[in-house]
Amino acid sequence: MEPTEIINSLAEDREAYFGAVAPPIIQTSNFAFRTVREMREAIGGEFIKHVYSRGNNPTVEILRKKMAALEHAGDCLITSSGCTAITLAVMANLRAGDHAVCVERCYSWTRHLFTEILPGFGITADFVDGYDTMALKKAILPNTRLIYLESPTSWTFGIQDMRAVAALARKQGIITVTDNSYCTPLNQNPLDMGIDIVVHSASKYLSGHSDVVAGVLCGSEEMVARIFRSEYMTFGGIPSPFDAWLMLRGLRTLEVRLERSTSSAKQLIAFLEQHPAVERIIYPFHESHPGHSLARRQMRDGSGLFSVILRTDDPLAVERFCERLRHFLLAVSWGGHESLVLPAVGLPATHSDSGHGLPLNMVRIYAGLEDPALLRADLEQALEEIGMKYV
Ligand SMILES: *Cc1c(COP(=O)(O)O)cnc(C)c1O
């Protein structure tokens, strides 16, 4: 089924709710039964039946079916945040004494999970440069049970060869997990490349309006059922039916939003790359990017998020540039309607890692849905803070 059909009609049973075009928000915690037998059968099959909204809720279920179809997955789970999806995928597949290999420069709280939380449960991890599949292979120990990827990573857009990593992991019975938030299922489908579990922060493009924090976990039906019956039901990191509904609403426009954001980012990059105040662009679909050809092989397109290295060694000039922008908001996250900047100098040096080691003249830029000409003019006027000394 094509994404358009999945987004607009899959799993919607309109006859059951008065022909309503928008699905209902079934805001209930529990579901009642007519007979004890019905109750017993439902509790025994909670993965598909309706018993209690910590498990399965009809509004969330519509979203679950759409996301599984979009990611070419057997099934999926919707979670209260991207971090919940990541934690479920990782903790459901590691036990005391196990080892994990994780890509360097992954999302900061993913790193925190591996470096600060899992060691307390007897699980160790090593971080490797994801470009180098050989280095990744060398990091595998006899007790390695999981490889965690994020392609592209969300500051430096490092790319990992997912087909190669999945193939070598399969041979050794190692589970592979990929964070696919940057691409969305429209631009990349890691399960088709042999990856076992895909996780998303749905707070970004999937919801798309900066009003929801949610996550998605996709995999085989067997994997998803196992996680549902154990960690999902126990940790209880579920979205509210209302948040699931907001996500359904956001999904309706995913195709046009992603297209606009990506096309605006490319226009801004074309302007910035010839600007004297810009030293370098970091974008997976830019020829200068070290992962460019691999990105073209496994992604359908880039997205609206990229980084620039400004031509200055003065962190205060970077701060002035960010504060002078009128249409780009100074905020974390991305994937919403609004354009954003996040400078490396905006992260405290102690931040669990994403700030750590990033050059202080690096700024991450997200192109939202505003008129690209307005965004370009805004960058141009703010770059005077950097450019004056050099032009
Ligand atoms: C935001 C983000 C996360 C975390 O998701 P939340 O929904 O904020 O919990 C994970 N990975 C990436 C790449 C992200 O950008």
Side-chain angles (χ1 to χ4, degrees), residues 132-168:
D132 188 352
T133 306
M134 274 303 127
L136 212 143
K137 190 173 177 179
K138 276 194 208 129
I140 294 175
L141 304 175
N143 60 336
T144 303
R145 292 284 167 270
L146 185 129
I147 297 177
Y148 190 95
L149 307 177
E150 187 180 312
S151 184
T153 51
S154 60
W155 268 92
T156 48
F157 309 102
I159 310 283
Q160 300 106 61
D161 187 339
M162 282 193 267
R163 284 186 188 87
V165 175
L168 79 89

PDB file of all heavy atoms in Angstrom, residues 132-168:
ATOM      1  N   ASP A 132      32.417   3.382   9.629  1.00  0.00           N
ATOM      2  CA  ASP A 132      33.365   2.313   9.433  1.00  0.00           C
ATOM      3  C   ASP A 132      32.749   0.983   9.876  1.00  0.00           C
ATOM      4  O   ASP A 132      32.812   0.622  11.047  1.00  0.00           O
ATOM      5  CB  ASP A 132      34.626   2.663  10.253  1.00  0.00           C
ATOM      6  CG  ASP A 132      35.761   1.715   9.971  1.00  0.00           C
ATOM      7  OD1 ASP A 132      35.543   0.716   9.270  1.00  0.00           O
ATOM      8  OD2 ASP A 132      36.868   1.978  10.480  1.00  0.00           O
ATOM      9  N   THR A 133      32.160   0.266   8.927  1.00  0.00           N
ATOM     10  CA  THR A 133      31.504  -1.002   9.262  1.00  0.00           C
ATOM     11  C   THR A 133      32.521  -1.988   9.845  1.00  0.00           C
ATOM     12  O   THR A 133      32.204  -2.795  10.711  1.00  0.00           O
ATOM     13  CB  THR A 133      30.813  -1.609   8.022  1.00  0.00           C
ATOM     14  OG1 THR A 133      29.932  -0.618   7.476  1.00  0.00           O
ATOM     15  CG2 THR A 133      29.973  -2.820   8.365  1.00  0.00           C
ATOM     16  N   MET A 134      33.796  -1.879   9.391  1.00  0.00           N
ATOM     17  CA  MET A 134      34.850  -2.775   9.907  1.00  0.00           C
ATOM     18  C   MET A 134      35.102  -2.517  11.392  1.00  0.00           C
ATOM     19  O   MET A 134      35.262  -3.448  12.184  1.00  0.00           O
ATOM     20  CB  MET A 134      36.157  -2.567   9.116  1.00  0.00           C
ATOM     21  CG  MET A 134      36.233  -3.400   7.862  1.00  0.00           C
ATOM     22  SD  MET A 134      36.055  -5.159   8.274  1.00  0.00           S
ATOM     23  CE  MET A 134      34.770  -5.623   7.208  1.00  0.00           C
ATOM     24  N   ALA A 135      35.122  -1.222  11.770  1.00  0.00           N
ATOM     25  CA  ALA A 135      35.333  -0.865  13.180  1.00  0.00           C
ATOM     26  C   ALA A 135      34.178  -1.394  14.018  1.00  0.00           C
ATOM     27  O   ALA A 135      34.370  -1.880  15.142  1.00  0.00           O
ATOM     28  CB  ALA A 135      35.442   0.656  13.324  1.00  0.00           C
ATOM     29  N   LEU A 136      32.999  -1.313  13.440  1.00  0.00           N
ATOM     30  CA  LEU A 136      31.816  -1.805  14.139  1.00  0.00           C
ATOM     31  C   LEU A 136      31.923  -3.324  14.338  1.00  0.00           C
ATOM     32  O   LEU A 136      31.636  -3.854  15.405  1.00  0.00           O
ATOM     33  CB  LEU A 136      30.607  -1.459  13.273  1.00  0.00           C
ATOM     34  CG  LEU A 136      29.316  -1.167  13.997  1.00  0.00           C
ATOM     35  CD1 LEU A 136      28.556  -0.056  13.280  1.00  0.00           C
ATOM     36  CD2 LEU A 136      28.471  -2.399  14.046  1.00  0.00           C
ATOM     37  N   LYS A 137      32.387  -3.986  13.285  1.00  0.00           N
ATOM     38  CA  LYS A 137      32.545  -5.445  13.350  1.00  0.00           C
ATOM     39  C   LYS A 137      33.579  -5.815  14.420  1.00  0.00           C
ATOM     40  O   LYS A 137      33.372  -6.764  15.186  1.00  0.00           O
ATOM     41  CB  LYS A 137      32.995  -5.947  11.973  1.00  0.00           C
ATOM     42  CG  LYS A 137      32.972  -7.445  11.834  1.00  0.00           C
ATOM     43  CD  LYS A 137      33.262  -7.865  10.409  1.00  0.00           C
ATOM     44  CE  LYS A 137      33.303  -9.382  10.308  1.00  0.00           C
ATOM     45  NZ  LYS A 137      33.564  -9.844   8.951  1.00  0.00           N
ATOM     46  N   LYS A 138      34.656  -5.026  14.475  1.00  0.00           N
ATOM     47  CA  LYS A 138      35.715  -5.322  15.448  1.00  0.00           C
ATOM     48  C   LYS A 138      35.254  -5.108  16.881  1.00  0.00           C
ATOM     49  O   LYS A 138      35.793  -5.691  17.814  1.00  0.00           O
ATOM     50  CB  LYS A 138      36.943  -4.428  15.170  1.00  0.00           C
ATOM     51  CG  LYS A 138      37.844  -4.989  14.108  1.00  0.00           C
ATOM     52  CD  LYS A 138      39.197  -4.272  14.099  1.00  0.00           C
ATOM     53  CE  LYS A 138      39.790  -4.314  12.699  1.00  0.00           C
ATOM     54  NZ  LYS A 138      40.206  -2.988  12.223  1.00  0.00           N
ATOM     55  N   ALA A 139      34.262  -4.242  17.057  1.00  0.00           N
ATOM     56  CA  ALA A 139      33.780  -3.943  18.418  1.00  0.00           C
ATOM     57  C   ALA A 139      32.881  -5.054  18.960  1.00  0.00           C
ATOM     58  O   ALA A 139      32.550  -5.071  20.145  1.00  0.00           O
ATOM     59  CB  ALA A 139      33.036  -2.614  18.419  1.00  0.00           C
ATOM     60  N   ILE A 140      32.494  -5.992  18.092  1.00  0.00           N
ATOM     61  CA  ILE A 140      31.619  -7.085  18.528  1.00  0.00           C
ATOM     62  C   ILE A 140      32.401  -8.064  19.404  1.00  0.00           C
ATOM     63  O   ILE A 140      33.465  -8.534  19.030  1.00  0.00           O
ATOM     64  CB  ILE A 140      31.000  -7.812  17.307  1.00  0.00           C
ATOM     65  CG1 ILE A 140      30.045  -6.843  16.570  1.00  0.00           C
ATOM     66  CG2 ILE A 140      30.253  -9.072  17.730  1.00  0.00           C
ATOM     67  CD1 ILE A 140      29.473  -7.396  15.287  1.00  0.00           C
ATOM     68  N   LEU A 141      31.852  -8.328  20.591  1.00  0.00           N
ATOM     69  CA  LEU A 141      32.472  -9.258  21.545  1.00  0.00           C
ATOM     70  C   LEU A 141      31.637 -10.543  21.577  1.00  0.00           C
ATOM     71  O   LEU A 141      30.518 -10.575  21.049  1.00  0.00           O
ATOM     72  CB  LEU A 141      32.489  -8.618  22.939  1.00  0.00           C
ATOM     73  CG  LEU A 141      33.172  -7.246  23.067  1.00  0.00           C
ATOM     74  CD1 LEU A 141      32.991  -6.702  24.487  1.00  0.00           C
ATOM     75  CD2 LEU A 141      34.646  -7.353  22.705  1.00  0.00           C
ATOM     76  N   PRO A 142      32.167 -11.604  22.212  1.00  0.00           N
ATOM     77  CA  PRO A 142      31.375 -12.849  22.272  1.00  0.00           C
ATOM     78  C   PRO A 142      30.004 -12.643  22.933  1.00  0.00           C
ATOM     79  O   PRO A 142      29.052 -13.360  22.622  1.00  0.00           O
ATOM     80  CB  PRO A 142      32.258 -13.782  23.116  1.00  0.00           C
ATOM     81  CG  PRO A 142      33.643 -13.239  22.985  1.00  0.00           C
ATOM     82  CD  PRO A 142      33.514 -11.763  22.780  1.00  0.00           C
ATOM     83  N   ASN A 143      29.892 -11.644  23.837  1.00  0.00           N
ATOM     84  CA  ASN A 143      28.609 -11.430  24.531  1.00  0.00           C
ATOM     85  C   ASN A 143      27.802 -10.257  23.951  1.00  0.00           C
ATOM     86  O   ASN A 143      26.858  -9.780  24.575  1.00  0.00           O
ATOM     87  CB  ASN A 143      28.834 -11.225  26.034  1.00  0.00           C
ATOM     88  CG  ASN A 143      29.722 -10.025  26.331  1.00  0.00           C
ATOM     89  OD1 ASN A 143      30.508  -9.605  25.484  1.00  0.00           O
ATOM     90  ND2 ASN A 143      29.598  -9.473  27.516  1.00  0.00           N
ATOM     91  N   THR A 144      28.164  -9.779  22.745  1.00  0.00           N
ATOM     92  CA  THR A 144      27.386  -8.696  22.118  1.00  0.00           C
ATOM     93  C   THR A 144      26.030  -9.235  21.663  1.00  0.00           C
ATOM     94  O   THR A 144      25.960 -10.232  20.937  1.00  0.00           O
ATOM     95  CB  THR A 144      28.147  -8.103  20.910  1.00  0.00           C
ATOM     96  OG1 THR A 144      29.417  -7.645  21.357  1.00  0.00           O
ATOM     97  CG2 THR A 144      27.379  -6.935  20.304  1.00  0.00           C
ATOM     98  N   ARG A 145      24.965  -8.569  22.100  1.00  0.00           N
ATOM     99  CA  ARG A 145      23.618  -9.033  21.766  1.00  0.00           C
ATOM    100  C   ARG A 145      22.824  -8.000  20.975  1.00  0.00           C
ATOM    101  O   ARG A 145      21.748  -8.293  20.471  1.00  0.00           O
ATOM    102  CB  ARG A 145      22.823  -9.336  23.058  1.00  0.00           C
ATOM    103  CG  ARG A 145      23.322 -10.509  23.842  1.00  0.00           C
ATOM    104  CD  ARG A 145      22.921 -11.849  23.213  1.00  0.00           C
ATOM    105  NE  ARG A 145      23.660 -12.933  23.825  1.00  0.00           N
ATOM    106  CZ  ARG A 145      24.828 -13.391  23.394  1.00  0.00           C
ATOM    107  NH1 ARG A 145      25.368 -12.900  22.307  1.00  0.00           N
ATOM    108  NH2 ARG A 145      25.442 -14.357  24.046  1.00  0.00           N
ATOM    109  N   LEU A 146      23.353  -6.756  20.910  1.00  0.00           N
ATOM    110  CA  LEU A 146      22.556  -5.700  20.271  1.00  0.00           C
ATOM    111  C   LEU A 146      23.478  -4.657  19.629  1.00  0.00           C
ATOM    112  O   LEU A 146      24.503  -4.294  20.194  1.00  0.00           O
ATOM    113  CB  LEU A 146      21.673  -5.035  21.330  1.00  0.00           C
ATOM    114  CG  LEU A 146      20.688  -3.981  20.828  1.00  0.00           C
ATOM    115  CD1 LEU A 146      19.280  -4.271  21.343  1.00  0.00           C
ATOM    116  CD2 LEU A 146      21.078  -2.576  21.300  1.00  0.00           C
ATOM    117  N   ILE A 147      23.093  -4.210  18.431  1.00  0.00           N
ATOM    118  CA  ILE A 147      23.802  -3.105  17.772  1.00  0.00           C
ATOM    119  C   ILE A 147      22.790  -1.979  17.588  1.00  0.00           C
ATOM    120  O   ILE A 147      21.696  -2.198  17.056  1.00  0.00           O
ATOM    121  CB  ILE A 147      24.401  -3.534  16.410  1.00  0.00           C
ATOM    122  CG1 ILE A 147      25.454  -4.614  16.617  1.00  0.00           C
ATOM    123  CG2 ILE A 147      25.008  -2.321  15.692  1.00  0.00           C
ATOM    124  CD1 ILE A 147      26.051  -5.165  15.322  1.00  0.00           C
ATOM    125  N   TYR A 148      23.160  -0.788  18.057  1.00  0.00           N
ATOM    126  CA  TYR A 148      22.237   0.352  17.994  1.00  0.00           C
ATOM    127  C   TYR A 148      22.753   1.383  16.990  1.00  0.00           C
ATOM    128  O   TYR A 148      23.876   1.890  17.115  1.00  0.00           O
ATOM    129  CB  TYR A 148      22.107   0.990  19.392  1.00  0.00           C
ATOM    130  CG  TYR A 148      20.996   2.011  19.422  1.00  0.00           C
ATOM    131  CD1 TYR A 148      19.720   1.660  19.862  1.00  0.00           C
ATOM    132  CD2 TYR A 148      21.205   3.307  18.956  1.00  0.00           C
ATOM    133  CE1 TYR A 148      18.684   2.581  19.847  1.00  0.00           C
ATOM    134  CE2 TYR A 148      20.170   4.235  18.933  1.00  0.00           C
ATOM    135  CZ  TYR A 148      18.918   3.866  19.390  1.00  0.00           C
ATOM    136  OH  TYR A 148      17.898   4.772  19.365  1.00  0.00           O
ATOM    137  N   LEU A 149      21.917   1.708  16.009  1.00  0.00           N
ATOM    138  CA  LEU A 149      22.306   2.667  14.972  1.00  0.00           C
ATOM    139  C   LEU A 149      21.380   3.881  14.980  1.00  0.00           C
ATOM    140  O   LEU A 149      20.251   3.825  15.488  1.00  0.00           O
ATOM    141  CB  LEU A 149      22.227   2.011  13.586  1.00  0.00           C
ATOM    142  CG  LEU A 149      22.982   0.698  13.388  1.00  0.00           C
ATOM    143  CD1 LEU A 149      22.725   0.154  11.990  1.00  0.00           C
ATOM    144  CD2 LEU A 149      24.478   0.879  13.625  1.00  0.00           C
ATOM    145  N   GLU A 150      21.865   4.960  14.397  1.00  0.00           N
ATOM    146  CA  GLU A 150      21.022   6.140  14.161  1.00  0.00           C
ATOM    147  C   GLU A 150      21.566   6.731  12.871  1.00  0.00           C
ATOM    148  O   GLU A 150      22.651   7.299  12.859  1.00  0.00           O
ATOM    149  CB  GLU A 150      21.171   7.111  15.344  1.00  0.00           C
ATOM    150  CG  GLU A 150      20.215   8.283  15.299  1.00  0.00           C
ATOM    151  CD  GLU A 150      20.403   9.219  16.501  1.00  0.00           C
ATOM    152  OE1 GLU A 150      20.472   8.725  17.646  1.00  0.00           O
ATOM    153  OE2 GLU A 150      20.497  10.432  16.282  1.00  0.00           O
ATOM    154  N   SER A 151      20.828   6.569  11.779  1.00  0.00           N
ATOM    155  CA  SER A 151      21.368   6.967  10.475  1.00  0.00           C
ATOM    156  C   SER A 151      20.313   7.755   9.709  1.00  0.00           C
ATOM    157  O   SER A 151      19.282   7.209   9.343  1.00  0.00           O
ATOM    158  CB  SER A 151      21.771   5.716   9.675  1.00  0.00           C
ATOM    159  OG  SER A 151      22.386   6.071   8.459  1.00  0.00           O
ATOM    160  N   PRO A 152      20.544   9.078   9.546  1.00  0.00           N
ATOM    161  CA  PRO A 152      21.704   9.833  10.013  1.00  0.00           C
ATOM    162  C   PRO A 152      21.546  10.259  11.480  1.00  0.00           C
ATOM    163  O   PRO A 152      20.426  10.372  11.961  1.00  0.00           O
ATOM    164  CB  PRO A 152      21.679  11.089   9.125  1.00  0.00           C
ATOM    165  CG  PRO A 152      20.535  10.969   8.202  1.00  0.00           C
ATOM    166  CD  PRO A 152      19.650   9.885   8.704  1.00  0.00           C
ATOM    167  N   THR A 153      22.688  10.505  12.128  1.00  0.00           N
ATOM    168  CA  THR A 153      22.664  11.095  13.467  1.00  0.00           C
ATOM    169  C   THR A 153      22.223  12.559  13.334  1.00  0.00           C
ATOM    170  O   THR A 153      22.351  13.146  12.247  1.00  0.00           O
ATOM    171  CB  THR A 153      24.058  11.029  14.114  1.00  0.00           C
ATOM    172  OG1 THR A 153      25.015  11.570  13.194  1.00  0.00           O
ATOM    173  CG2 THR A 153      24.433   9.594  14.438  1.00  0.00           C
ATOM    174  N   SER A 154      21.721  13.153  14.420  1.00  0.00           N
ATOM    175  CA  SER A 154      21.010  14.413  14.226  1.00  0.00           C
ATOM    176  C   SER A 154      21.810  15.704  14.479  1.00  0.00           C
ATOM    177  O   SER A 154      21.224  16.781  14.545  1.00  0.00           O
ATOM    178  CB  SER A 154      19.715  14.409  15.021  1.00  0.00           C
ATOM    179  OG  SER A 154      19.978  14.247  16.380  1.00  0.00           O
ATOM    180  N   TRP A 155      23.134  15.653  14.593  1.00  0.00           N
ATOM    181  CA  TRP A 155      23.944  16.888  14.606  1.00  0.00           C
ATOM    182  C   TRP A 155      24.923  16.881  13.444  1.00  0.00           C
ATOM    183  O   TRP A 155      25.076  17.857  12.731  1.00  0.00           O
ATOM    184  CB  TRP A 155      24.741  17.004  15.917  1.00  0.00           C
ATOM    185  CG  TRP A 155      24.033  17.764  16.991  1.00  0.00           C
ATOM    186  CD1 TRP A 155      23.222  17.228  17.955  1.00  0.00           C
ATOM    187  CD2 TRP A 155      24.059  19.182  17.214  1.00  0.00           C
ATOM    188  NE1 TRP A 155      22.755  18.232  18.764  1.00  0.00           N
ATOM    189  CE2 TRP A 155      23.252  19.433  18.349  1.00  0.00           C
ATOM    190  CE3 TRP A 155      24.685  20.257  16.577  1.00  0.00           C
ATOM    191  CZ2 TRP A 155      23.052  20.716  18.850  1.00  0.00           C
ATOM    192  CZ3 TRP A 155      24.493  21.534  17.082  1.00  0.00           C
ATOM    193  CH2 TRP A 155      23.679  21.750  18.204  1.00  0.00           C
ATOM    194  N   THR A 156      25.587  15.710  13.276  1.00  0.00           N
ATOM    195  CA  THR A 156      26.634  15.634  12.254  1.00  0.00           C
ATOM    196  C   THR A 156      26.187  14.753  11.075  1.00  0.00           C
ATOM    197  O   THR A 156      26.892  14.645  10.096  1.00  0.00           O
ATOM    198  CB  THR A 156      27.927  15.071  12.865  1.00  0.00           C
ATOM    199  OG1 THR A 156      27.589  13.888  13.611  1.00  0.00           O
ATOM    200  CG2 THR A 156      28.545  16.076  13.827  1.00  0.00           C
ATOM    201  N   PHE A 157      25.019  14.124  11.206  1.00  0.00           N
ATOM    202  CA  PHE A 157      24.406  13.365  10.116  1.00  0.00           C
ATOM    203  C   PHE A 157      25.288  12.223   9.619  1.00  0.00           C
ATOM    204  O   PHE A 157      25.393  11.963   8.426  1.00  0.00           O
ATOM    205  CB  PHE A 157      23.980  14.318   8.976  1.00  0.00           C
ATOM    206  CG  PHE A 157      23.157  15.450   9.530  1.00  0.00           C
ATOM    207  CD1 PHE A 157      23.711  16.707   9.737  1.00  0.00           C
ATOM    208  CD2 PHE A 157      21.851  15.238   9.937  1.00  0.00           C
ATOM    209  CE1 PHE A 157      22.973  17.735  10.328  1.00  0.00           C
ATOM    210  CE2 PHE A 157      21.117  16.258  10.529  1.00  0.00           C
ATOM    211  CZ  PHE A 157      21.678  17.507  10.712  1.00  0.00           C
ATOM    212  N   GLY A 158      25.932  11.552  10.591  1.00  0.00           N
ATOM    213  CA  GLY A 158      26.722  10.360  10.276  1.00  0.00           C
ATOM    214  C   GLY A 158      25.820   9.260   9.727  1.00  0.00           C
ATOM    215  O   GLY A 158      24.704   9.070  10.199  1.00  0.00           O
ATOM    216  N   ILE A 159      26.323   8.579   8.682  1.00  0.00           N
ATOM    217  CA  ILE A 159      25.533   7.539   8.011  1.00  0.00           C
ATOM    218  C   ILE A 159      26.164   6.182   8.278  1.00  0.00           C
ATOM    219  O   ILE A 159      27.391   6.045   8.228  1.00  0.00           O
ATOM    220  CB  ILE A 159      25.521   7.779   6.476  1.00  0.00           C
ATOM    221  CG1 ILE A 159      25.137   9.229   6.148  1.00  0.00           C
ATOM    222  CG2 ILE A 159      24.607   6.789   5.766  1.00  0.00           C
ATOM    223  CD1 ILE A 159      23.689   9.554   6.260  1.00  0.00           C
ATOM    224  N   GLN A 160      25.352   5.198   8.561  1.00  0.00           N
ATOM    225  CA  GLN A 160      25.836   3.829   8.717  1.00  0.00           C
ATOM    226  C   GLN A 160      25.264   2.970   7.595  1.00  0.00           C
ATOM    227  O   GLN A 160      24.131   3.172   7.173  1.00  0.00           O
ATOM    228  CB  GLN A 160      25.403   3.263  10.075  1.00  0.00           C
ATOM    229  CG  GLN A 160      25.939   4.068  11.257  1.00  0.00           C
ATOM    230  CD  GLN A 160      24.822   4.906  11.923  1.00  0.00           C
ATOM    231  OE1 GLN A 160      23.865   4.351  12.410  1.00  0.00           O
ATOM    232  NE2 GLN A 160      24.978   6.227  11.930  1.00  0.00           N
ATOM    233  N   ASP A 161      26.089   2.022   7.147  1.00  0.00           N
ATOM    234  CA  ASP A 161      25.672   1.122   6.061  1.00  0.00           C
ATOM    235  C   ASP A 161      24.758   0.056   6.674  1.00  0.00           C
ATOM    236  O   ASP A 161      25.211  -0.984   7.160  1.00  0.00           O
ATOM    237  CB  ASP A 161      26.919   0.490   5.420  1.00  0.00           C
ATOM    238  CG  ASP A 161      26.573  -0.325   4.188  1.00  0.00           C
ATOM    239  OD1 ASP A 161      25.392  -0.743   4.048  1.00  0.00           O
ATOM    240  OD2 ASP A 161      27.480  -0.552   3.370  1.00  0.00           O
ATOM    241  N   MET A 162      23.445   0.318   6.631  1.00  0.00           N
ATOM    242  CA  MET A 162      22.516  -0.552   7.356  1.00  0.00           C
ATOM    243  C   MET A 162      22.446  -1.962   6.794  1.00  0.00           C
ATOM    244  O   MET A 162      22.315  -2.914   7.543  1.00  0.00           O
ATOM    245  CB  MET A 162      21.133   0.093   7.411  1.00  0.00           C
ATOM    246  CG  MET A 162      21.122   1.180   8.475  1.00  0.00           C
ATOM    247  SD  MET A 162      19.467   1.697   8.851  1.00  0.00           S
ATOM    248  CE  MET A 162      19.346   3.042   7.722  1.00  0.00           C
ATOM    249  N   ARG A 163      22.544  -2.092   5.459  1.00  0.00           N
ATOM    250  CA  ARG A 163      22.489  -3.446   4.881  1.00  0.00           C
ATOM    251  C   ARG A 163      23.672  -4.270   5.365  1.00  0.00           C
ATOM    252  O   ARG A 163      23.509  -5.422   5.775  1.00  0.00           O
ATOM    253  CB  ARG A 163      22.512  -3.367   3.347  1.00  0.00           C
ATOM    254  CG  ARG A 163      21.176  -2.928   2.754  1.00  0.00           C
ATOM    255  CD  ARG A 163      21.181  -2.999   1.229  1.00  0.00           C
ATOM    256  NE  ARG A 163      19.984  -2.393   0.687  1.00  0.00           N
ATOM    257  CZ  ARG A 163      19.858  -1.096   0.409  1.00  0.00           C
ATOM    258  NH1 ARG A 163      20.868  -0.264   0.597  1.00  0.00           N
ATOM    259  NH2 ARG A 163      18.722  -0.618  -0.072  1.00  0.00           N
ATOM    260  N   ALA A 164      24.867  -3.654   5.359  1.00  0.00           N
ATOM    261  CA  ALA A 164      26.068  -4.387   5.758  1.00  0.00           C
ATOM    262  C   ALA A 164      26.027  -4.737   7.247  1.00  0.00           C
ATOM    263  O   ALA A 164      26.339  -5.866   7.634  1.00  0.00           O
ATOM    264  CB  ALA A 164      27.316  -3.552   5.441  1.00  0.00           C
ATOM    265  N   VAL A 165      25.611  -3.781   8.075  1.00  0.00           N
ATOM    266  CA  VAL A 165      25.576  -4.030   9.524  1.00  0.00           C
ATOM    267  C   VAL A 165      24.529  -5.094   9.845  1.00  0.00           C
ATOM    268  O   VAL A 165      24.771  -6.010  10.641  1.00  0.00           O
ATOM    269  CB  VAL A 165      25.296  -2.726  10.306  1.00  0.00           C
ATOM    270  CG1 VAL A 165      25.136  -3.017  11.800  1.00  0.00           C
ATOM    271  CG2 VAL A 165      26.411  -1.704  10.080  1.00  0.00           C
ATOM    272  N   ALA A 166      23.358  -4.999   9.208  1.00  0.00           N
ATOM    273  CA  ALA A 166      22.295  -5.974   9.473  1.00  0.00           C
ATOM    274  C   ALA A 166      22.748  -7.377   9.076  1.00  0.00           C
ATOM    275  O   ALA A 166      22.496  -8.342   9.802  1.00  0.00           O
ATOM    276  CB  ALA A 166      21.028  -5.590   8.717  1.00  0.00           C
ATOM    277  N   ALA A 167      23.459  -7.473   7.946  1.00  0.00           N
ATOM    278  CA  ALA A 167      23.899  -8.797   7.476  1.00  0.00           C
ATOM    279  C   ALA A 167      24.897  -9.414   8.444  1.00  0.00           C
ATOM    280  O   ALA A 167      24.788 -10.596   8.793  1.00  0.00           O
ATOM    281  CB  ALA A 167      24.513  -8.680   6.076  1.00  0.00           C
ATOM    282  N   LEU A 168      25.855  -8.599   8.919  1.00  0.00           N
ATOM    283  CA  LEU A 168      26.844  -9.204   9.816  1.00  0.00           C
ATOM    284  C   LEU A 168      26.247  -9.513  11.187  1.00  0.00           C
ATOM    285  O   LEU A 168      26.624 -10.495  11.834  1.00  0.00           O
ATOM    286  CB  LEU A 168      28.132  -8.360   9.885  1.00  0.00           C
ATOM    287  CG  LEU A 168      28.251  -7.099  10.720  1.00  0.00           C
ATOM    288  CD1 LEU A 168      28.715  -7.438  12.128  1.00  0.00           C
ATOM    289  CD2 LEU A 168      29.263  -6.163  10.068  1.00  0.00           C
TER     290      LEU A 168
END
